PDB file of all heavy atoms in Angstrom:
ATOM      1  N   TRP A 583      15.009 -10.882   0.629  1.00 79.00           N
ATOM      2  CA  TRP A 583      15.949 -12.008   0.326  1.00 79.00           C
ATOM      3  C   TRP A 583      16.423 -11.805  -1.124  1.00 79.00           C
ATOM      4  O   TRP A 583      15.731 -11.299  -1.974  1.00 79.00           O
ATOM      5  CB  TRP A 583      15.275 -13.368   0.543  1.00 79.00           C
ATOM      6  CG  TRP A 583      14.056 -13.680  -0.245  1.00 79.00           C
ATOM      7  CD1 TRP A 583      14.000 -14.405  -1.419  1.00 79.00           C
ATOM      8  CD2 TRP A 583      12.653 -13.262   0.029  1.00 79.00           C
ATOM      9  NE1 TRP A 583      12.728 -14.530  -1.840  1.00 79.00           N
ATOM     10  CE2 TRP A 583      11.841 -13.795  -0.994  1.00 79.00           C
ATOM     11  CE3 TRP A 583      12.045 -12.618   1.013  1.00 79.00           C
ATOM     12  CZ2 TRP A 583      10.534 -13.641  -0.994  1.00 79.00           C
ATOM     13  CZ3 TRP A 583      10.730 -12.382   0.998  1.00 79.00           C
ATOM     14  CH2 TRP A 583       9.939 -12.910   0.010  1.00 79.00           C
ATOM     15  N   PRO A 584      17.709 -12.179  -1.358  1.00 76.00           N
ATOM     16  CA  PRO A 584      18.293 -11.971  -2.658  1.00 76.00           C
ATOM     17  C   PRO A 584      17.675 -12.783  -3.774  1.00 76.00           C
ATOM     18  O   PRO A 584      17.285 -13.951  -3.523  1.00 76.00           O
ATOM     19  CB  PRO A 584      19.761 -12.281  -2.446  1.00 76.00           C
ATOM     20  CG  PRO A 584      19.864 -13.003  -1.225  1.00 76.00           C
ATOM     21  CD  PRO A 584      18.638 -12.822  -0.405  1.00 76.00           C
ATOM     22  N   ALA A 585      17.610 -12.180  -4.953  1.00 77.00           N
ATOM     23  CA  ALA A 585      17.114 -12.909  -6.121  1.00 77.00           C
ATOM     24  C   ALA A 585      18.360 -13.280  -6.998  1.00 77.00           C
ATOM     25  O   ALA A 585      18.556 -14.445  -7.286  1.00 77.00           O
ATOM     26  CB  ALA A 585      16.118 -12.078  -6.884  1.00 77.00           C
ATOM     27  N   TRP A 586      19.105 -12.289  -7.476  1.00 77.00           N
ATOM     28  CA  TRP A 586      20.309 -12.497  -8.265  1.00 77.00           C
ATOM     29  C   TRP A 586      21.119 -11.231  -8.225  1.00 77.00           C
ATOM     30  O   TRP A 586      20.719 -10.192  -7.779  1.00 77.00           O
ATOM     31  CB  TRP A 586      19.987 -12.980  -9.651  1.00 77.00           C
ATOM     32  CG  TRP A 586      19.244 -12.050 -10.490  1.00 77.00           C
ATOM     33  CD1 TRP A 586      19.731 -11.021 -11.315  1.00 77.00           C
ATOM     34  CD2 TRP A 586      17.854 -11.995 -10.722  1.00 77.00           C
ATOM     35  NE1 TRP A 586      18.743 -10.384 -11.948  1.00 77.00           N
ATOM     36  CE2 TRP A 586      17.507 -10.916 -11.564  1.00 77.00           C
ATOM     37  CE3 TRP A 586      16.761 -12.711 -10.174  1.00 77.00           C
ATOM     38  CZ2 TRP A 586      16.264 -10.600 -11.940  1.00 77.00           C
ATOM     39  CZ3 TRP A 586      15.516 -12.354 -10.597  1.00 77.00           C
ATOM     40  CH2 TRP A 586      15.220 -11.342 -11.488  1.00 77.00           C
ATOM     41  N   GLU A 587      22.330 -11.392  -8.739  1.00 76.00           N
ATOM     42  CA  GLU A 587      23.275 -10.227  -8.781  1.00 76.00           C
ATOM     43  C   GLU A 587      23.994 -10.288 -10.137  1.00 76.00           C
ATOM     44  O   GLU A 587      24.353 -11.367 -10.664  1.00 76.00           O
ATOM     45  CB  GLU A 587      24.313 -10.300  -7.654  1.00 76.00           C
ATOM     46  CG  GLU A 587      25.258  -9.147  -7.625  1.00 76.00           C
ATOM     47  CD  GLU A 587      26.158  -9.158  -6.393  1.00 76.00           C
ATOM     48  OE1 GLU A 587      25.776  -9.897  -5.380  1.00 76.00           O
ATOM     49  OE2 GLU A 587      27.220  -8.491  -6.434  1.00 76.00           O
ATOM     50  N   VAL A 588      24.230  -9.101 -10.678  1.00 75.00           N
ATOM     51  CA  VAL A 588      24.961  -8.961 -11.976  1.00 75.00           C
ATOM     52  C   VAL A 588      26.145  -8.052 -11.737  1.00 75.00           C
ATOM     53  O   VAL A 588      25.950  -6.865 -11.273  1.00 75.00           O
ATOM     54  CB  VAL A 588      24.059  -8.375 -13.083  1.00 75.00           C
ATOM     55  CG1 VAL A 588      24.775  -8.157 -14.352  1.00 75.00           C
ATOM     56  CG2 VAL A 588      22.871  -9.346 -13.300  1.00 75.00           C
ATOM     57  N   MET A 595      24.909  -4.829  -9.672  1.00 72.00           N
ATOM     58  CA  MET A 595      23.539  -4.542  -9.453  1.00 72.00           C
ATOM     59  C   MET A 595      22.926  -5.808  -8.839  1.00 72.00           C
ATOM     60  O   MET A 595      23.136  -6.884  -9.348  1.00 72.00           O
ATOM     61  CB  MET A 595      22.753  -4.192 -10.693  1.00 72.00           C
ATOM     62  CG  MET A 595      23.192  -2.877 -11.252  1.00 72.00           C
ATOM     63  SD  MET A 595      22.568  -2.432 -12.921  1.00 72.00           S
ATOM     64  CE  MET A 595      20.764  -2.752 -12.780  1.00 72.00           C
ATOM     65  N   ALA A 596      22.195  -5.660  -7.706  1.00 77.00           N
ATOM     66  CA  ALA A 596      21.589  -6.823  -7.037  1.00 77.00           C
ATOM     67  C   ALA A 596      20.076  -6.668  -7.053  1.00 77.00           C
ATOM     68  O   ALA A 596      19.586  -5.583  -6.778  1.00 77.00           O
ATOM     69  CB  ALA A 596      22.156  -6.868  -5.671  1.00 77.00           C
ATOM     70  N   TRP A 597      19.390  -7.800  -7.345  1.00 82.00           N
ATOM     71  CA  TRP A 597      17.970  -7.783  -7.307  1.00 82.00           C
ATOM     72  C   TRP A 597      17.530  -8.536  -5.960  1.00 82.00           C
ATOM     73  O   TRP A 597      18.131  -9.477  -5.623  1.00 82.00           O
ATOM     74  CB  TRP A 597      17.394  -8.585  -8.478  1.00 82.00           C
ATOM     75  CG  TRP A 597      17.248  -7.797  -9.729  1.00 82.00           C
ATOM     76  CD1 TRP A 597      16.203  -7.283 -10.306  1.00 82.00           C
ATOM     77  CD2 TRP A 597      18.364  -7.496 -10.668  1.00 82.00           C
ATOM     78  NE1 TRP A 597      16.531  -6.647 -11.432  1.00 82.00           N
ATOM     79  CE2 TRP A 597      17.821  -6.778 -11.716  1.00 82.00           C
ATOM     80  CE3 TRP A 597      19.708  -7.762 -10.690  1.00 82.00           C
ATOM     81  CZ2 TRP A 597      18.577  -6.287 -12.807  1.00 82.00           C
ATOM     82  CZ3 TRP A 597      20.467  -7.297 -11.727  1.00 82.00           C
ATOM     83  CH2 TRP A 597      19.920  -6.574 -12.771  1.00 82.00           C
ATOM     84  N   PHE A 598      16.436  -8.015  -5.422  1.00 83.00           N
ATOM     85  CA  PHE A 598      15.956  -8.557  -4.162  1.00 83.00           C
ATOM     86  C   PHE A 598      14.420  -8.728  -4.206  1.00 83.00           C
ATOM     87  O   PHE A 598      13.748  -7.870  -4.810  1.00 83.00           O
ATOM     88  CB  PHE A 598      16.287  -7.675  -2.962  1.00 83.00           C
ATOM     89  CG  PHE A 598      17.749  -7.619  -2.637  1.00 83.00           C
ATOM     90  CD1 PHE A 598      18.608  -6.749  -3.196  1.00 83.00           C
ATOM     91  CD2 PHE A 598      18.253  -8.494  -1.685  1.00 83.00           C
ATOM     92  CE1 PHE A 598      19.926  -6.685  -2.904  1.00 83.00           C
ATOM     93  CE2 PHE A 598      19.631  -8.481  -1.378  1.00 83.00           C
ATOM     94  CZ  PHE A 598      20.468  -7.618  -1.965  1.00 83.00           C
ATOM     95  N   HIS A 599      13.928  -9.780  -3.603  1.00 87.00           N
ATOM     96  CA  HIS A 599      12.496  -9.938  -3.402  1.00 87.00           C
ATOM     97  C   HIS A 599      12.262  -9.221  -2.035  1.00 87.00           C
ATOM     98  O   HIS A 599      13.010  -9.415  -1.048  1.00 87.00           O
ATOM     99  CB  HIS A 599      12.122 -11.395  -3.263  1.00 87.00           C
ATOM    100  CG  HIS A 599      12.270 -12.150  -4.489  1.00 87.00           C
ATOM    101  ND1 HIS A 599      11.402 -12.022  -5.600  1.00 87.00           N
ATOM    102  CD2 HIS A 599      13.169 -13.039  -4.900  1.00 87.00           C
ATOM    103  CE1 HIS A 599      11.798 -12.845  -6.550  1.00 87.00           C
ATOM    104  NE2 HIS A 599      12.856 -13.433  -6.128  1.00 87.00           N
ATOM    105  N   LEU A 613       9.921  -6.670  -6.502  1.00 86.00           N
ATOM    106  CA  LEU A 613      11.243  -7.016  -6.956  1.00 86.00           C
ATOM    107  C   LEU A 613      12.015  -5.695  -7.174  1.00 86.00           C
ATOM    108  O   LEU A 613      11.563  -4.854  -7.930  1.00 86.00           O
ATOM    109  CB  LEU A 613      11.205  -7.785  -8.307  1.00 86.00           C
ATOM    110  CG  LEU A 613      12.477  -8.256  -8.906  1.00 86.00           C
ATOM    111  CD1 LEU A 613      13.152  -9.275  -7.969  1.00 86.00           C
ATOM    112  CD2 LEU A 613      12.270  -8.895 -10.256  1.00 86.00           C
ATOM    113  N   VAL A 615      15.788  -3.469  -7.419  1.00 80.00           N
ATOM    114  CA  VAL A 615      17.160  -3.482  -7.854  1.00 80.00           C
ATOM    115  C   VAL A 615      17.922  -2.484  -7.030  1.00 80.00           C
ATOM    116  O   VAL A 615      17.513  -1.287  -6.945  1.00 80.00           O
ATOM    117  CB  VAL A 615      17.310  -3.067  -9.341  1.00 80.00           C
ATOM    118  CG1 VAL A 615      18.774  -3.151  -9.771  1.00 80.00           C
ATOM    119  CG2 VAL A 615      16.394  -4.060 -10.207  1.00 80.00           C
ATOM    120  N   GLU A 624      11.310  -3.021  -9.916  1.00 82.00           N
ATOM    121  CA  GLU A 624      11.086  -3.713 -11.225  1.00 82.00           C
ATOM    122  C   GLU A 624       9.605  -4.190 -11.309  1.00 82.00           C
ATOM    123  O   GLU A 624       9.027  -4.128 -12.304  1.00 82.00           O
ATOM    124  CB  GLU A 624      11.992  -4.929 -11.325  1.00 82.00           C
ATOM    125  CG  GLU A 624      13.445  -4.600 -11.473  1.00 82.00           C
ATOM    126  CD  GLU A 624      13.778  -4.123 -12.902  1.00 82.00           C
ATOM    127  OE1 GLU A 624      13.239  -4.641 -13.797  1.00 82.00           O
ATOM    128  OE2 GLU A 624      14.613  -3.183 -12.991  1.00 82.00           O
TER     129      GLU A 624
END
Side-chain angles (χ1 to χ4, degrees):
W583 62 98
W586 63 87
E587 184 174 339
V588 175
M595 292 174 48
W597 279 258
F598 290 89
H599 295 285
L613 180 63
V615 181
E624 292 284 321

